[in-house]
Amino acid sequence: MAATLPADIRLMNATAALVGLLALGTLALGAAAWVARQPAFALRQIRLEGETARNNAATVRAHVMPRLAGNFFTLNLQAAREAFEAVPWVRHAVVRKVWPNRLVVQLEEHHPVAVWKGEEGDDRLVNSHGEVFEANLGDVDEAQLPDFAGPLAEAPQILAMYRQLRPVFEPLGREPVSLSLSGRGSWRVELDDGVAVELGRGSETEVLERTARFVRTITQVGGASRRSIDYADLRHADGYAVRFKGGPGAAATPNGAH
């Protein structure tokens, strides 16, 4: 039968083993730190993939490189992603490391669909997801984009309503060029011939139905040409009111003119 070592001997052996492990760990950490500091692992190349219509590789690197800290081992990927997404026109970036000293970045750019009219002239752009973003407006043809205005949080709703309204006005041969939503939830649209239409409040379905009735019946109002209308107000329970250019106004129900 093997003899049991005294408790103090067992303690000494355990302590020695622990010290040995700590020493090995310290050496391993030191070696890893030394390897990580080697020039071979400094980031030397960034390859851009995905959408780069608005930014070339040199522009992106010029914006991003001052914000990238560390090498292949120490670079924080979250911080790197934020640095790429801070580049103008970049909506989303996916960053991954490639051994031993490269980054591969997949970019998604903003696609502008409207100009967001700021209350103090700080105009911005709206992308195809209904997100408001900042960019150089000189990079786009503002004349080709509609204007949106309203509470910033409602930008996706305004884009959705605009997309619904466009086909509604097609029978008139008109295109919405401005759409706004008031703080109280009332819609207003301006058409490409300068006609302003107050659409009023309500659910999306209610607003679209009111608008469709207006489009169907407006040519019947007093036998007037639709091109002579200056303003229309659809915020009436039983119909709408219109004002003609250079003439008196008229009221109509959805079923005809009066």
Side-chain angles (χ1 to χ4, degrees):
M1 182 175 180
T4 303
L5 293 174
D8 56 343
I9 299 299
R10 293 200 306 272
L11 179 60
M12 289 176 60
N13 289 341
T15 301
L18 179 59
V19 170
L21 288 174
L22 289 174
L24 288 174
T26 300
L27 289 173
L29 289 174
W34 179 85
V35 170
R37 289 194 299 270
Q38 297 309 298
F41 303 111
L43 295 175
R44 298 184 182 279
Q45 182 181 358
I46 299 175
R47 188 173 81 232
L48 301 181
E49 298 178 346
E51 300 175 333
T52 56
R54 299 285 182 177
N55 289 293
N56 58 41
T59 300
V60 174
R61 292 190 183 98
H63 276 88
V64 172
M65 287 305 293
R67 300 183 57 181
L68 296 181
N71 58 23
F72 181 86
F73 294 101
T74 61
L75 177 71
N76 184 304
L77 286 179
Q78 174 68 17
R81 180 182 66 82
E82 293 174 355
F84 281 98
E85 291 179 354
V87 176
W89 290 101
V90 174
R91 176 178 182 264
H92 183 62
V94 176
V95 183
R96 61 187 178 90
K97 301 175 183 178
V98 177
W99 178 267
N101 53 18
R102 292 189 296 151
L103 288 182
V104 175
V105 185
Q106 185 80 22
L107 296 179
E108 176 191 350
E109 294 185 333
H110 292 286
H111 298 278
V113 297
V115 176
W116 185 265
K117 306 300 289 186
E119 294 182 358
E120 299 180 1
D122 54 336
D123 295 350
R124 286 174 282 178
L125 293 167
V126 182
N127 68 20
S128 55
H129 298 271
E131 300 163 342
V132 178
F133 68 100
E134 294 190 17
N136 181 8
L137 296 184
D139 291 342
V140 299
D141 186 354
E142 291 185 64
Q144 300 299 317
L145 298 177
D147 292 338
F148 290 172
L152 192 61
E154 302 302 328
Q157 182 186 2
I158 295 173
L159 174 59
M161 179 63 81
Y162 173 80
R163 287 170 169 168
Q164 295 274 19
L165 285 172
R166 287 188 66 188
V168 175
F169 284 105
E170 283 181 357
L172 297 180
R174 301 269 61 92
E175 178 90 4
V177 295
S178 175
L179 180 62
S180 62
L181 178 65
S182 73
R184 300 183 62 185
S186 185
W187 294 94
R188 187 178 193 272
V189 66
E190 183 177 328
L191 305 179
D192 55 358
D193 60 352
V195 175
V197 184
E198 298 286 354
L199 305 179
R201 301 168 63 183
S203 68
E204 182 180 279
T205 300
E206 292 170 336
V207 173
L208 292 172
E209 287 179 350
R210 271 200 306 274
T211 307
R213 286 196 297 269
F214 166 74
V215 170
R216 285 197 307 269
T217 61
I218 188 57
T219 55
Q220 304 171 26
V221 178
S225 166
R226 64 176 180 266
R227 297 184 184 277
S228 64
I229 297 170
D230 179 56
Y231 172 83
D233 190 345
L234 280 55
R235 298 172 298 177
H236 299 272
D238 299 321
Y240 52 82
V242 296
R243 183 178 67 231
F244 298 108
K245 295 178 181 178
T253 68
N255 295 320
H258 296 274

